[in-house]
Amino acid sequence: MPVLGPSAVRAGLAALPVVSLGLLCPVPSLVIALRRGTRADWAAFGAFCAVLVAWVLELSFTPETTHGLEFADDLLLILVSMVGASVHAWTFWPRRVGRAGRQ
């Protein structure tokens, strides 16, 4: 059975918010927070949970056709939940420390 390398796991976590269209945006942050356990990681997880809740509420209260600021709000929340979560997963995934102590 093949073992996934750290770069494959990192790429998979970064692709998850894009593939799910932002609905699973807190998952990579949760995995990172469980792995590293710092306050900043838990804060990022909370922030992406808040973005997801805001996106779902915006979706439920917005009419089917939007224009202007309503469209900009929808677009901003979708971009943050997709692109923001992917960039966060790609940049903050813990890397193995080499022999010389470099990452």
Side-chain angles (χ1 to χ4, degrees), residues 17 21-27 29 42-60 72-86 88:
L21 298 177
L23 292 176
L24 296 176
C25 67
V27 173
S29 299
W42 286 107
F45 171 66
F48 284 116
C49 285
V51 166
L52 180 62
V53 168
W55 185 56
V56 169
L57 288 175
E58 179 77 21
L59 184 65
S60 66
D73 288 342
D74 290 341
L75 186 63
L76 178 67
L77 289 171
I78 289 170
L79 284 176
V80 169
S81 67
M82 286 174 56
V83 177
S86 293
H88 176 261

Side-chain angles (χ1 to χ4, degrees), residues 2 4-5 7 9 12 16-17 20 25 32 44-45 51 55 57-58 64 66 71-73 77 99:
L4 292 175
S7 59
V9 174
L16 185 65
S20 70
C25 67
I32 291 170
F45 171 66
V51 166
W55 185 56
L57 288 175
E58 179 77 21
E64 194 169 313
T66 60
F71 177 74
D73 288 342
L77 289 171
R99 288 186 188 191

